[in-house]
């Protein structure tokens, strides 16, 4: 198998799963946004603005031409003081896929949590301990230095 055929297969898989991956990214963003909206609504705080959320969708998911419908949808919920639904956000952004079973199936069930970067509490990562550095003038103090190891033996006294 050549490198070119492997690259072609990878590109084919990217094209095949581009839409489901975009919907899953949208699901994460919309659930986070709806949670923030609900928290602000219950705590009588100002509701989050839809414009940064829409820009984030355009950047992380894909640029779409249905962002104005999403803006109107979020403003209706702002006026009614209700919480938007993540699936309704996806249906608003992808109206052609609303009747297919793909959107509800991708929004059903639990998502696995986002992978967090591993915390490394070990002061010596990878098991490598740094060697101590000695200054030049303190070399004679080092018990492992050659100068101390070659001390003359004491002469026995008769």
């Amino acid at each position: 198998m050549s490198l070119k055929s492997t690259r072609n297969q990878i590109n084919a898989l990217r094209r095949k799963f581009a839409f489901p991956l975009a919907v899953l990214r949208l699901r994460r963003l919309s659930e986070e946004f709806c949670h923030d909206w609900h928290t602000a609504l219950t705590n009588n705080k100002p509701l989050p603005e839809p414009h940064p959320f829409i820009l984030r969708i355009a950047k992380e998911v894909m640029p779409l031409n249905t962002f104005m419908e999403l803006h109107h949808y979020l403003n209706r919920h702002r006026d009614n003081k209700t919480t938007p639904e993540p699936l309704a956000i996806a249906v608003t952004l992808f109206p052609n896929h609303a009747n297919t079973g793909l959107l509800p199936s991708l929004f059903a069930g639990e998502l696995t949590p986002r992978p967090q970067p591993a915390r490394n509490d070990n002061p010596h990562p990878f098991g490598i301990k740094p060697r101590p550095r000695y200054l030049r003038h303190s070399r004679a103090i080092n018990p492992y230095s050659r100068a101390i190891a070659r001390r003359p033996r004491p002469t026995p006294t008769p």
Side-chain angles (χ1 to χ4, degrees), residues 48-143:
E49 290 295 321
H51 187 69
F53 172 62
I54 291 171
L55 290 178
R56 192 170 170 200
I57 290 173
K59 180 182 175 189
E60 294 183 21
V61 178
M62 67 174 57
L64 299 166
N65 58 359
T66 56
F67 287 129
M68 203 61 201
E69 285 84 6
L70 177 62
H71 186 72
H72 292 309
Y73 171 76
L74 294 174
N75 281 338
R76 279 194 308 272
H77 280 281
R78 180 184 301 277
D79 294 340
N80 296 337
K81 296 194 187 280
T82 57
T83 305
E85 294 294 325
L87 179 59
I89 289 175
V91 168
T92 305
L93 287 174
F94 300 113
N96 296 337
H97 298 280
N99 294 332
T100 64
L102 185 61
L103 283 178
S105 67
L106 289 175
F107 273 79
E110 290 292 319
L111 279 177
T112 58
R114 286 186 183 197
Q116 298 293 327
R119 283 190 56 208
N120 191 357
D121 293 335
N122 186 3
H124 309 296
F126 308 112
I128 300 171
K129 195 180 239 186
R131 292 178 47 195
R133 297 182 182 234
Y134 297 104
L135 300 174
R136 289 183 190 196
H137 59 75
S138 65
R139 274 215 112 114
I141 300 172
N142 185 358

Side-chain angles (χ1 to χ4, degrees), residues 5 27 40 46 48 51 58 66 88 127 150 156:
S5 64
R27 178 182 174 184
H51 187 69
T66 56
R150 291 185 189 163

